[in-house]
Short mmCIF file of all heavy atoms in Angstrom, two decimals:
data_model
loop_
_atom_site.label_atom_id
_atom_site.label_comp_id
_atom_site.label_asym_id
_atom_site.label_seq_id
_atom_site.Cartn_x
_atom_site.Cartn_y
_atom_site.Cartn_z
N MET A 262 89.72 -50.28 -47.90
CA MET A 262 90.07 -50.74 -49.22
C MET A 262 88.88 -51.52 -49.80
O MET A 262 88.30 -52.35 -49.11
CB MET A 262 91.29 -51.65 -49.11
CG MET A 262 92.26 -51.44 -50.21
SD MET A 262 93.73 -52.49 -50.15
CE MET A 262 94.41 -52.20 -48.55
N PRO A 263 88.50 -51.26 -51.04
CA PRO A 263 87.35 -51.95 -51.64
C PRO A 263 87.63 -53.41 -51.95
O PRO A 263 88.77 -53.84 -52.08
CB PRO A 263 87.08 -51.18 -52.92
CG PRO A 263 88.11 -50.13 -53.03
CD PRO A 263 89.04 -50.24 -51.89
N ILE A 264 86.55 -54.16 -52.09
CA ILE A 264 86.63 -55.57 -52.46
C ILE A 264 86.17 -55.68 -53.91
O ILE A 264 85.12 -55.15 -54.28
CB ILE A 264 85.73 -56.42 -51.55
CG1 ILE A 264 86.21 -56.32 -50.11
CG2 ILE A 264 85.71 -57.87 -52.02
CD1 ILE A 264 85.30 -56.97 -49.11
N TYR A 265 86.95 -56.40 -54.73
CA TYR A 265 86.62 -56.58 -56.14
C TYR A 265 86.41 -58.05 -56.42
O TYR A 265 86.97 -58.92 -55.76
CB TYR A 265 87.75 -56.03 -57.03
CG TYR A 265 87.93 -54.54 -56.88
CD1 TYR A 265 88.92 -54.02 -56.06
CD2 TYR A 265 87.09 -53.66 -57.54
CE1 TYR A 265 89.07 -52.65 -55.90
CE2 TYR A 265 87.23 -52.29 -57.39
CZ TYR A 265 88.23 -51.80 -56.57
OH TYR A 265 88.37 -50.44 -56.42
N GLU A 266 85.59 -58.34 -57.43
CA GLU A 266 85.31 -59.71 -57.84
C GLU A 266 86.16 -60.08 -59.04
O GLU A 266 86.31 -59.29 -59.97
CB GLU A 266 83.84 -59.87 -58.20
CG GLU A 266 82.90 -59.72 -57.03
CD GLU A 266 81.45 -59.92 -57.43
OE1 GLU A 266 81.17 -60.50 -58.50
OE2 GLU A 266 80.59 -59.49 -56.65
N TYR A 267 86.70 -61.28 -58.99
CA TYR A 267 87.51 -61.83 -60.09
C TYR A 267 86.97 -63.20 -60.43
O TYR A 267 86.26 -63.82 -59.64
CB TYR A 267 88.98 -61.93 -59.67
CG TYR A 267 89.59 -60.57 -59.41
CD1 TYR A 267 89.47 -59.95 -58.17
CD2 TYR A 267 90.25 -59.88 -60.41
CE1 TYR A 267 89.99 -58.69 -57.94
CE2 TYR A 267 90.77 -58.62 -60.19
CZ TYR A 267 90.64 -58.03 -58.95
OH TYR A 267 91.15 -56.79 -58.73
N ARG A 268 87.29 -63.68 -61.63
CA ARG A 268 86.81 -64.99 -62.05
C ARG A 268 87.97 -65.81 -62.60
O ARG A 268 88.56 -65.46 -63.61
CB ARG A 268 85.72 -64.87 -63.09
CG ARG A 268 85.18 -66.21 -63.54
CD ARG A 268 83.87 -66.06 -64.29
NE ARG A 268 83.21 -67.33 -64.41
CZ ARG A 268 82.47 -67.90 -63.47
NH1 ARG A 268 82.30 -67.29 -62.33
NH2 ARG A 268 81.89 -69.05 -63.68
N CYS A 269 88.25 -66.91 -61.91
CA CYS A 269 89.25 -67.86 -62.35
C CYS A 269 88.59 -68.82 -63.35
O CYS A 269 87.49 -69.31 -63.09
CB CYS A 269 89.80 -68.64 -61.15
SG CYS A 269 90.92 -69.97 -61.60
N GLU A 270 89.25 -69.08 -64.47
CA GLU A 270 88.68 -69.99 -65.47
C GLU A 270 88.55 -71.41 -64.95
O GLU A 270 87.72 -72.17 -65.41
CB GLU A 270 89.54 -69.97 -66.73
CG GLU A 270 89.46 -68.66 -67.48
CD GLU A 270 90.26 -68.69 -68.76
OE1 GLU A 270 90.53 -69.79 -69.29
OE2 GLU A 270 90.61 -67.61 -69.25
N HIS A 271 89.36 -71.77 -63.96
CA HIS A 271 89.34 -73.14 -63.44
C HIS A 271 88.48 -73.29 -62.18
O HIS A 271 87.78 -74.28 -62.03
CB HIS A 271 90.77 -73.59 -63.12
CG HIS A 271 91.69 -73.48 -64.28
ND1 HIS A 271 91.66 -74.34 -65.34
CD2 HIS A 271 92.64 -72.57 -64.56
CE1 HIS A 271 92.57 -73.98 -66.23
NE2 HIS A 271 93.18 -72.89 -65.79
N CYS A 272 88.54 -72.31 -61.28
CA CYS A 272 87.90 -72.44 -59.96
C CYS A 272 86.64 -71.61 -59.79
O CYS A 272 85.89 -71.83 -58.85
CB CYS A 272 88.90 -72.06 -58.87
SG CYS A 272 90.42 -73.02 -58.94
N GLY A 273 86.41 -70.63 -60.66
CA GLY A 273 85.22 -69.79 -60.55
C GLY A 273 85.50 -68.46 -59.89
O GLY A 273 86.65 -68.03 -59.78
N PRO A 274 84.45 -67.80 -59.41
CA PRO A 274 84.60 -66.45 -58.86
C PRO A 274 85.24 -66.43 -57.47
O PRO A 274 85.11 -67.38 -56.70
CB PRO A 274 83.16 -65.93 -58.79
CG PRO A 274 82.31 -67.14 -58.73
CD PRO A 274 83.05 -68.22 -59.44
N PHE A 275 85.94 -65.33 -57.20
CA PHE A 275 86.49 -65.07 -55.87
C PHE A 275 86.62 -63.57 -55.69
O PHE A 275 86.52 -62.81 -56.64
CB PHE A 275 87.85 -65.78 -55.67
CG PHE A 275 88.96 -65.27 -56.55
CD1 PHE A 275 89.83 -64.28 -56.12
CD2 PHE A 275 89.14 -65.80 -57.82
CE1 PHE A 275 90.85 -63.82 -56.94
CE2 PHE A 275 90.17 -65.36 -58.64
CZ PHE A 275 91.03 -64.36 -58.20
N GLU A 276 86.77 -63.15 -54.45
CA GLU A 276 86.89 -61.72 -54.14
C GLU A 276 88.26 -61.42 -53.59
O GLU A 276 88.88 -62.28 -52.96
CB GLU A 276 85.83 -61.32 -53.10
CG GLU A 276 84.43 -61.45 -53.61
CD GLU A 276 83.40 -61.10 -52.54
OE1 GLU A 276 83.74 -61.09 -51.34
OE2 GLU A 276 82.25 -60.83 -52.92
N GLU A 277 88.71 -60.19 -53.82
CA GLU A 277 90.00 -59.77 -53.29
C GLU A 277 89.93 -58.29 -52.90
O GLU A 277 89.39 -57.48 -53.62
CB GLU A 277 91.10 -59.98 -54.32
CG GLU A 277 92.47 -59.71 -53.77
CD GLU A 277 93.56 -60.15 -54.71
OE1 GLU A 277 93.57 -61.32 -55.13
OE2 GLU A 277 94.41 -59.30 -55.02
N ARG A 278 90.46 -57.98 -51.75
CA ARG A 278 90.53 -56.60 -51.27
C ARG A 278 91.85 -56.02 -51.78
O ARG A 278 92.91 -56.61 -51.58
CB ARG A 278 90.52 -56.60 -49.74
CG ARG A 278 90.44 -55.23 -49.13
CD ARG A 278 90.45 -55.32 -47.61
NE ARG A 278 89.41 -56.20 -47.10
CZ ARG A 278 88.22 -55.79 -46.65
NH1 ARG A 278 87.96 -54.52 -46.62
NH2 ARG A 278 87.34 -56.65 -46.21
N ARG A 279 91.75 -54.87 -52.47
CA ARG A 279 92.95 -54.24 -53.01
C ARG A 279 92.72 -52.75 -53.23
O ARG A 279 91.58 -52.31 -53.29
CB ARG A 279 93.41 -54.91 -54.29
CG ARG A 279 92.38 -55.03 -55.35
CD ARG A 279 92.84 -55.63 -56.66
NE ARG A 279 93.91 -56.58 -56.53
CZ ARG A 279 94.56 -57.12 -57.53
NH1 ARG A 279 94.22 -56.82 -58.75
NH2 ARG A 279 95.53 -57.96 -57.35
N PRO A 280 93.78 -51.97 -53.37
CA PRO A 280 93.64 -50.53 -53.61
C PRO A 280 92.92 -50.26 -54.93
O PRO A 280 93.01 -51.05 -55.88
CB PRO A 280 95.08 -50.03 -53.69
CG PRO A 280 95.91 -51.08 -53.05
CD PRO A 280 95.19 -52.38 -53.25
N VAL A 281 92.25 -49.14 -55.00
CA VAL A 281 91.52 -48.75 -56.21
C VAL A 281 92.45 -48.68 -57.41
O VAL A 281 92.09 -49.09 -58.52
CB VAL A 281 90.81 -47.39 -56.00
CG1 VAL A 281 90.16 -46.91 -57.28
CG2 VAL A 281 89.78 -47.50 -54.90
N ALA A 282 93.66 -48.22 -57.22
CA ALA A 282 94.62 -48.09 -58.32
C ALA A 282 94.95 -49.45 -58.95
O ALA A 282 95.35 -49.52 -60.11
CB ALA A 282 95.90 -47.42 -57.83
N GLU A 283 94.75 -50.54 -58.21
CA GLU A 283 95.07 -51.89 -58.71
C GLU A 283 93.83 -52.68 -59.09
O GLU A 283 93.91 -53.89 -59.33
CB GLU A 283 95.85 -52.65 -57.65
CG GLU A 283 97.18 -52.02 -57.31
CD GLU A 283 97.88 -52.74 -56.17
OE1 GLU A 283 97.49 -53.89 -55.84
OE2 GLU A 283 98.82 -52.17 -55.60
N ARG A 284 92.68 -52.02 -59.17
CA ARG A 284 91.42 -52.74 -59.38
C ARG A 284 91.36 -53.53 -60.68
O ARG A 284 90.72 -54.56 -60.75
CB ARG A 284 90.24 -51.78 -59.30
CG ARG A 284 90.15 -50.80 -60.45
CD ARG A 284 89.05 -49.78 -60.22
NE ARG A 284 89.03 -48.78 -61.27
CZ ARG A 284 89.76 -47.68 -61.27
NH1 ARG A 284 90.58 -47.43 -60.29
NH2 ARG A 284 89.67 -46.82 -62.26
N ASN A 285 92.00 -53.05 -61.74
CA ASN A 285 91.92 -53.74 -63.03
C ASN A 285 93.09 -54.68 -63.30
O ASN A 285 93.11 -55.34 -64.33
CB ASN A 285 91.79 -52.71 -64.16
CG ASN A 285 90.45 -52.00 -64.11
OD1 ASN A 285 89.44 -52.59 -63.78
ND2 ASN A 285 90.45 -50.73 -64.42
N ALA A 286 94.04 -54.73 -62.39
CA ALA A 286 95.17 -55.65 -62.56
C ALA A 286 94.68 -57.08 -62.30
O ALA A 286 93.76 -57.30 -61.52
CB ALA A 286 96.28 -55.30 -61.57
N GLU A 287 95.28 -58.03 -62.99
CA GLU A 287 94.91 -59.43 -62.77
C GLU A 287 95.24 -59.83 -61.34
O GLU A 287 96.17 -59.30 -60.73
CB GLU A 287 95.63 -60.34 -63.75
CG GLU A 287 95.14 -60.16 -65.18
CD GLU A 287 95.82 -61.14 -66.11
OE1 GLU A 287 96.96 -61.57 -65.85
OE2 GLU A 287 95.19 -61.49 -67.13
N ALA A 288 94.47 -60.76 -60.82
CA ALA A 288 94.69 -61.26 -59.46
C ALA A 288 95.01 -62.75 -59.53
O ALA A 288 94.68 -63.41 -60.51
CB ALA A 288 93.45 -61.04 -58.62
N ARG A 289 95.62 -63.28 -58.50
CA ARG A 289 95.92 -64.72 -58.43
C ARG A 289 94.79 -65.42 -57.70
O ARG A 289 94.38 -65.01 -56.62
CB ARG A 289 97.22 -64.96 -57.68
CG ARG A 289 98.41 -64.42 -58.43
CD ARG A 289 99.22 -65.55 -58.97
NE ARG A 289 100.34 -65.01 -59.71
CZ ARG A 289 100.71 -65.50 -60.86
NH1 ARG A 289 100.10 -66.51 -61.40
NH2 ARG A 289 101.74 -64.98 -61.49
N CYS A 290 94.29 -66.49 -58.28
CA CYS A 290 93.25 -67.30 -57.66
C CYS A 290 93.80 -67.87 -56.35
O CYS A 290 94.90 -68.42 -56.33
CB CYS A 290 92.83 -68.43 -58.59
SG CYS A 290 91.67 -69.60 -57.84
N PRO A 291 93.06 -67.76 -55.25
CA PRO A 291 93.55 -68.26 -53.98
C PRO A 291 93.66 -69.79 -53.92
O PRO A 291 94.38 -70.33 -53.09
CB PRO A 291 92.53 -67.74 -52.95
CG PRO A 291 91.31 -67.42 -53.74
CD PRO A 291 91.77 -67.10 -55.12
N GLN A 292 92.98 -70.49 -54.84
CA GLN A 292 93.03 -71.96 -54.83
C GLN A 292 94.11 -72.53 -55.74
O GLN A 292 94.94 -73.31 -55.31
CB GLN A 292 91.66 -72.53 -55.21
CG GLN A 292 90.60 -72.23 -54.17
CD GLN A 292 89.25 -72.77 -54.59
OE1 GLN A 292 89.09 -73.39 -55.63
NE2 GLN A 292 88.25 -72.51 -53.76
N CYS A 293 94.11 -72.12 -57.02
CA CYS A 293 95.05 -72.72 -57.97
C CYS A 293 96.20 -71.80 -58.35
O CYS A 293 97.09 -72.21 -59.08
CB CYS A 293 94.29 -73.16 -59.22
SG CYS A 293 93.70 -71.81 -60.26
N ARG A 294 96.16 -70.53 -57.90
CA ARG A 294 97.22 -69.54 -58.15
C ARG A 294 97.33 -69.10 -59.61
O ARG A 294 98.29 -68.44 -59.99
CB ARG A 294 98.58 -70.03 -57.65
CG ARG A 294 98.59 -70.45 -56.19
CD ARG A 294 98.16 -69.38 -55.21
NE ARG A 294 99.07 -68.24 -55.25
CZ ARG A 294 98.76 -67.03 -54.79
NH1 ARG A 294 97.57 -66.82 -54.29
NH2 ARG A 294 99.62 -66.06 -54.85
N GLN A 295 96.35 -69.43 -60.45
CA GLN A 295 96.34 -68.95 -61.84
C GLN A 295 95.88 -67.50 -61.84
O GLN A 295 95.16 -67.06 -60.96
CB GLN A 295 95.37 -69.78 -62.69
CG GLN A 295 95.77 -71.22 -62.85
CD GLN A 295 97.00 -71.36 -63.72
OE1 GLN A 295 97.16 -70.68 -64.73
NE2 GLN A 295 97.91 -72.25 -63.32
N THR A 296 96.30 -66.73 -62.87
CA THR A 296 95.86 -65.35 -62.95
C THR A 296 94.39 -65.31 -63.38
O THR A 296 93.92 -66.16 -64.14
CB THR A 296 96.71 -64.53 -63.95
OG1 THR A 296 96.66 -65.16 -65.22
CG2 THR A 296 98.13 -64.40 -63.46
N ALA A 297 93.68 -64.31 -62.87
CA ALA A 297 92.25 -64.18 -63.17
C ALA A 297 91.93 -62.71 -63.43
O ALA A 297 92.51 -61.82 -62.82
CB ALA A 297 91.44 -64.69 -61.99
N ALA A 298 91.01 -62.48 -64.35
CA ALA A 298 90.59 -61.12 -64.70
C ALA A 298 89.48 -60.67 -63.78
O ALA A 298 88.71 -61.47 -63.25
CB ALA A 298 90.12 -61.09 -66.15
N ARG A 299 89.39 -59.36 -63.63
CA ARG A 299 88.32 -58.78 -62.82
C ARG A 299 86.99 -59.01 -63.50
O ARG A 299 86.86 -58.90 -64.72
CB ARG A 299 88.57 -57.28 -62.64
CG ARG A 299 87.52 -56.63 -61.79
CD ARG A 299 87.89 -55.19 -61.49
NE ARG A 299 86.73 -54.53 -60.93
CZ ARG A 299 86.40 -53.29 -61.15
NH1 ARG A 299 87.17 -52.53 -61.89
NH2 ARG A 299 85.33 -52.78 -60.62
N GLN A 300 86.00 -59.34 -62.72
CA GLN A 300 84.65 -59.57 -63.22
C GLN A 300 83.84 -58.31 -62.97
O GLN A 300 83.69 -57.89 -61.83
CB GLN A 300 84.03 -60.76 -62.48
CG GLN A 300 82.69 -61.16 -62.99
CD GLN A 300 82.23 -62.44 -62.33
OE1 GLN A 300 83.03 -63.31 -62.00
NE2 GLN A 300 80.95 -62.56 -62.11
N VAL A 301 83.34 -57.70 -64.04
CA VAL A 301 82.57 -56.47 -63.90
C VAL A 301 81.15 -56.76 -64.35
O VAL A 301 80.91 -57.19 -65.47
CB VAL A 301 83.18 -55.34 -64.78
CG1 VAL A 301 82.38 -54.06 -64.63
CG2 VAL A 301 84.63 -55.12 -64.41
N ASN A 302 80.21 -56.50 -63.44
CA ASN A 302 78.80 -56.72 -63.75
C ASN A 302 78.06 -55.40 -63.70
O ASN A 302 78.18 -54.65 -62.74
CB ASN A 302 78.16 -57.67 -62.73
CG ASN A 302 78.72 -59.06 -62.83
OD1 ASN A 302 79.02 -59.52 -63.91
ND2 ASN A 302 78.86 -59.72 -61.71
N PHE A 303 77.30 -55.12 -64.73
CA PHE A 303 76.48 -53.92 -64.78
C PHE A 303 75.03 -54.34 -64.92
O PHE A 303 74.70 -55.17 -65.75
CB PHE A 303 76.86 -53.03 -65.97
CG PHE A 303 78.24 -52.47 -65.86
CD1 PHE A 303 79.28 -52.99 -66.60
CD2 PHE A 303 78.50 -51.42 -64.99
CE1 PHE A 303 80.56 -52.47 -66.49
CE2 PHE A 303 79.77 -50.89 -64.88
CZ PHE A 303 80.81 -51.42 -65.62
N LEU A 304 74.17 -53.75 -64.10
CA LEU A 304 72.75 -54.01 -64.22
C LEU A 304 72.21 -53.25 -65.42
O LEU A 304 72.61 -52.11 -65.67
CB LEU A 304 72.00 -53.51 -62.98
CG LEU A 304 72.16 -54.32 -61.72
CD1 LEU A 304 71.44 -53.61 -60.56
CD2 LEU A 304 71.59 -55.71 -61.89
N PRO A 305 71.29 -53.85 -66.16
CA PRO A 305 70.65 -53.09 -67.23
C PRO A 305 69.97 -51.86 -66.66
O PRO A 305 69.54 -51.83 -65.51
CB PRO A 305 69.62 -54.07 -67.80
CG PRO A 305 70.10 -55.42 -67.38
CD PRO A 305 70.84 -55.22 -66.09
N THR A 306 69.87 -50.82 -67.45
CA THR A 306 69.31 -49.55 -67.00
C THR A 306 67.92 -49.72 -66.40
O THR A 306 67.61 -49.13 -65.37
CB THR A 306 69.24 -48.56 -68.18
OG1 THR A 306 70.54 -48.45 -68.74
CG2 THR A 306 68.76 -47.20 -67.75
N LEU A 307 67.08 -50.54 -67.00
CA LEU A 307 65.72 -50.73 -66.49
C LEU A 307 65.75 -51.26 -65.06
O LEU A 307 65.03 -50.78 -64.20
CB LEU A 307 64.95 -51.69 -67.40
CG LEU A 307 63.52 -52.03 -66.95
CD1 LEU A 307 62.67 -50.76 -66.92
CD2 LEU A 307 62.91 -53.06 -67.88
N LEU A 308 66.60 -52.23 -64.79
CA LEU A 308 66.69 -52.79 -63.44
C LEU A 308 67.24 -51.77 -62.45
O LEU A 308 66.81 -51.71 -61.31
CB LEU A 308 67.57 -54.05 -63.43
CG LEU A 308 67.00 -55.25 -64.16
CD1 LEU A 308 68.01 -56.39 -64.12
CD2 LEU A 308 65.69 -55.68 -63.57
N THR A 309 68.18 -50.95 -62.89
CA THR A 309 68.74 -49.92 -62.02
C THR A 309 67.66 -48.93 -61.62
O THR A 309 67.52 -48.59 -60.45
CB THR A 309 69.89 -49.18 -62.72
OG1 THR A 309 70.88 -50.14 -63.10
CG2 THR A 309 70.52 -48.15 -61.81
N HIS A 310 66.88 -48.47 -62.58
CA HIS A 310 65.80 -47.52 -62.28
C HIS A 310 64.76 -48.16 -61.37
O HIS A 310 64.26 -47.53 -60.45
CB HIS A 310 65.15 -47.00 -63.55
CG HIS A 310 66.04 -46.10 -64.35
ND1 HIS A 310 66.60 -44.97 -63.82
CD2 HIS A 310 66.49 -46.18 -65.62
CE1 HIS A 310 67.35 -44.38 -64.74
NE2 HIS A 310 67.30 -45.11 -65.83
N ARG A 311 64.44 -49.42 -61.61
CA ARG A 311 63.47 -50.11 -60.77
C ARG A 311 63.99 -50.22 -59.35
O ARG A 311 63.26 -49.99 -58.39
CB ARG A 311 63.17 -51.49 -61.35
CG ARG A 311 62.05 -52.20 -60.60
CD ARG A 311 61.68 -53.49 -61.28
NE ARG A 311 61.08 -53.19 -62.58
CZ ARG A 311 61.09 -54.01 -63.61
NH1 ARG A 311 61.67 -55.18 -63.52
NH2 ARG A 311 60.52 -53.68 -64.73
N ALA A 312 65.26 -50.53 -59.17
CA ALA A 312 65.85 -50.64 -57.83
C ALA A 312 65.83 -49.29 -57.13
O ALA A 312 65.55 -49.22 -55.94
CB ALA A 312 67.27 -51.18 -57.93
N GLU A 313 66.12 -48.22 -57.85
CA GLU A 313 66.11 -46.89 -57.25
C GLU A 313 64.71 -46.53 -56.77
O GLU A 313 64.54 -45.96 -55.70
CB GLU A 313 66.59 -45.84 -58.25
CG GLU A 313 68.06 -45.89 -58.52
CD GLU A 313 68.48 -44.93 -59.63
OE1 GLU A 313 67.60 -44.29 -60.24
OE2 GLU A 313 69.68 -44.85 -59.88
N ARG A 314 63.69 -46.89 -57.55
CA ARG A 314 62.32 -46.58 -57.14
C ARG A 314 61.94 -47.34 -55.88
O ARG A 314 61.26 -46.81 -55.02
CB ARG A 314 61.34 -46.95 -58.26
CG ARG A 314 61.18 -45.89 -59.29
CD ARG A 314 59.91 -46.12 -60.11
NE ARG A 314 59.81 -47.49 -60.58
CZ ARG A 314 60.10 -47.90 -61.80
NH1 ARG A 314 60.52 -47.05 -62.70
NH2 ARG A 314 59.98 -49.16 -62.14
N THR A 315 62.35 -48.58 -55.76
CA THR A 315 61.95 -49.38 -54.60
C THR A 315 62.71 -48.98 -53.35
O THR A 315 62.25 -49.23 -52.25
CB THR A 315 62.13 -50.88 -54.86
OG1 THR A 315 63.50 -51.13 -55.15
CG2 THR A 315 61.26 -51.36 -56.00
N GLU A 316 63.87 -48.34 -53.49
CA GLU A 316 64.65 -47.96 -52.33
C GLU A 316 64.24 -46.60 -51.77
O GLU A 316 64.57 -46.28 -50.64
CB GLU A 316 66.14 -47.92 -52.68
CG GLU A 316 66.69 -49.30 -52.97
CD GLU A 316 68.11 -49.25 -53.46
OE1 GLU A 316 68.70 -48.16 -53.50
OE2 GLU A 316 68.63 -50.31 -53.82
N ARG A 317 63.54 -45.82 -52.52
CA ARG A 317 63.13 -44.49 -52.07
C ARG A 317 61.92 -44.62 -51.14
O ARG A 317 61.00 -45.37 -51.42
CB ARG A 317 62.76 -43.61 -53.25
CG ARG A 317 63.93 -43.26 -54.10
CD ARG A 317 63.51 -42.34 -55.23
NE ARG A 317 64.63 -42.14 -56.12
CZ ARG A 317 64.51 -41.80 -57.38
NH1 ARG A 317 63.33 -41.61 -57.91
NH2 ARG A 317 65.57 -41.65 -58.13
N PRO A 318 61.91 -43.85 -50.07
CA PRO A 318 60.74 -43.90 -49.19
C PRO A 318 59.54 -43.27 -49.88
O PRO A 318 59.68 -42.35 -50.68
CB PRO A 318 61.17 -43.08 -47.98
CG PRO A 318 62.25 -42.20 -48.47
CD PRO A 318 62.93 -42.94 -49.59
N GLU A 319 58.38 -43.77 -49.55
CA GLU A 319 57.17 -43.20 -50.13
C GLU A 319 56.84 -41.90 -49.44
O GLU A 319 56.90 -41.80 -48.22
CB GLU A 319 56.01 -44.18 -49.99
CG GLU A 319 56.16 -45.39 -50.89
CD GLU A 319 54.91 -46.25 -50.86
OE1 GLU A 319 53.80 -45.72 -50.61
OE2 GLU A 319 55.05 -47.45 -51.06
N VAL A 320 56.49 -40.89 -50.23
CA VAL A 320 56.11 -39.59 -49.70
C VAL A 320 54.61 -39.45 -49.89
O VAL A 320 54.12 -39.62 -51.01
CB VAL A 320 56.85 -38.45 -50.43
CG1 VAL A 320 56.41 -37.09 -49.91
CG2 VAL A 320 58.34 -38.65 -50.31
N PRO A 321 53.88 -39.17 -48.82
CA PRO A 321 52.43 -39.04 -48.98
C PRO A 321 52.09 -37.89 -49.92
O PRO A 321 52.77 -36.87 -49.94
CB PRO A 321 51.92 -38.77 -47.57
CG PRO A 321 53.12 -38.40 -46.76
CD PRO A 321 54.31 -38.94 -47.46
N ALA A 322 51.03 -38.05 -50.69
CA ALA A 322 50.61 -37.03 -51.65
C ALA A 322 50.08 -35.79 -50.93
O ALA A 322 50.21 -34.69 -51.43
CB ALA A 322 49.53 -37.60 -52.56
N ARG A 323 49.51 -35.96 -49.76
CA ARG A 323 48.96 -34.83 -49.01
C ARG A 323 49.49 -34.89 -47.58
O ARG A 323 49.80 -35.95 -47.06
CB ARG A 323 47.45 -34.91 -48.98
CG ARG A 323 46.86 -34.92 -50.37
CD ARG A 323 45.41 -35.22 -50.29
NE ARG A 323 44.66 -33.99 -50.48
CZ ARG A 323 43.40 -33.86 -50.19
NH1 ARG A 323 42.71 -34.84 -49.68
NH2 ARG A 323 42.78 -32.73 -50.41
N HIS A 324 49.54 -33.74 -46.97
CA HIS A 324 49.94 -33.69 -45.57
C HIS A 324 48.74 -34.13 -44.72
O HIS A 324 47.61 -33.81 -45.04
CB HIS A 324 50.33 -32.25 -45.18
CG HIS A 324 51.61 -31.81 -45.81
ND1 HIS A 324 52.76 -31.68 -45.10
CD2 HIS A 324 51.91 -31.50 -47.09
CE1 HIS A 324 53.71 -31.28 -45.92
NE2 HIS A 324 53.23 -31.16 -47.13
N PRO A 325 48.99 -34.82 -43.64
CA PRO A 325 47.87 -35.19 -42.77
C PRO A 325 47.26 -33.93 -42.16
O PRO A 325 47.96 -32.94 -41.93
CB PRO A 325 48.50 -36.07 -41.70
CG PRO A 325 49.98 -35.95 -41.85
CD PRO A 325 50.25 -35.33 -43.17
N SER A 326 45.97 -33.97 -41.94
CA SER A 326 45.32 -32.79 -41.38
C SER A 326 45.88 -32.47 -40.02
O SER A 326 46.14 -33.36 -39.20
CB SER A 326 43.81 -32.99 -41.31
OG SER A 326 43.50 -33.96 -40.34
N GLY A 327 46.15 -31.18 -39.80
CA GLY A 327 46.67 -30.73 -38.51
C GLY A 327 48.14 -30.99 -38.32
O GLY A 327 48.62 -30.98 -37.19
N CYS A 328 48.92 -31.18 -39.40
CA CYS A 328 50.34 -31.46 -39.23
C CYS A 328 51.10 -30.21 -38.78
O CYS A 328 52.17 -30.31 -38.21
CB CYS A 328 50.97 -32.06 -40.49
SG CYS A 328 51.23 -30.89 -41.82
N GLY A 329 50.59 -29.02 -39.09
CA GLY A 329 51.18 -27.79 -38.61
C GLY A 329 52.35 -27.26 -39.41
O GLY A 329 52.97 -26.28 -39.02
N CYS A 330 52.68 -27.86 -40.53
CA CYS A 330 53.84 -27.40 -41.30
C CYS A 330 53.50 -26.24 -42.22
O CYS A 330 54.38 -25.57 -42.73
CB CYS A 330 54.46 -28.55 -42.09
SG CYS A 330 53.53 -29.02 -43.55
N GLY A 331 52.23 -26.03 -42.51
CA GLY A 331 51.83 -24.95 -43.38
C GLY A 331 51.79 -25.34 -44.85
O GLY A 331 51.32 -24.58 -45.68
N GLY A 332 52.31 -26.49 -45.22
CA GLY A 332 52.28 -26.93 -46.62
C GLY A 332 51.02 -27.72 -46.89
O GLY A 332 50.45 -28.36 -46.03
N HIS A 333 50.53 -27.66 -48.13
CA HIS A 333 49.30 -28.39 -48.47
C HIS A 333 49.53 -29.23 -49.69
O HIS A 333 50.09 -28.92 -50.63
CB HIS A 333 48.15 -27.44 -48.72
CG HIS A 333 47.80 -26.65 -47.50
ND1 HIS A 333 47.22 -27.20 -46.40
CD2 HIS A 333 47.99 -25.34 -47.20
CE1 HIS A 333 47.04 -26.26 -45.48
NE2 HIS A 333 47.51 -25.11 -45.96
#
């Protein structure tokens, strides 16, 4: 079951594990028991692309000599 982030107006952010079908339903704050809305954060597109570039392994531009794969 996924974990979702919620934000209580009084106590701040908290996480709750719940079924996907209930992801947008309000949750009860574990401290004050007030209802809290789901907190949805989206990275700007530029940051997402930058993160994708840094997570990809670097591929050498040329094969090392004698690698035997036949590609150049």
Side-chain angles (χ1 to χ4, degrees):
M262 220 180 305
I264 298 173
Y265 296 98
E266 293 181 18
Y267 295 85
R268 181 165 194 81
C269 174
E270 291 183 22
H271 304 286
C272 304
F275 66 94
E276 295 177 342
E277 187 170 306
R278 186 181 306 262
R279 54 177 30 187
V281 174
E283 298 176 15
R284 69 187 176 274
N285 292 324
E287 291 184 332
R289 294 251 179 223
C290 174
Q292 294 178 1
C293 70
R294 306 303 297 161
Q295 295 291 319
T296 57
R299 182 173 167 215
Q300 185 173 327
V301 180
N302 293 324
F303 294 103
L304 287 175
T306 305
L307 178 62
L308 292 178
T309 303
H310 291 303
R311 186 173 293 154
E313 287 174 356
R314 275 197 312 259
T315 59
E316 292 174 5
R317 292 182 186 156
E319 289 187 28
V320 178
R323 302 171 103 194
H324 290 253
S326 68
C328 75
C330 75
H333 297 290

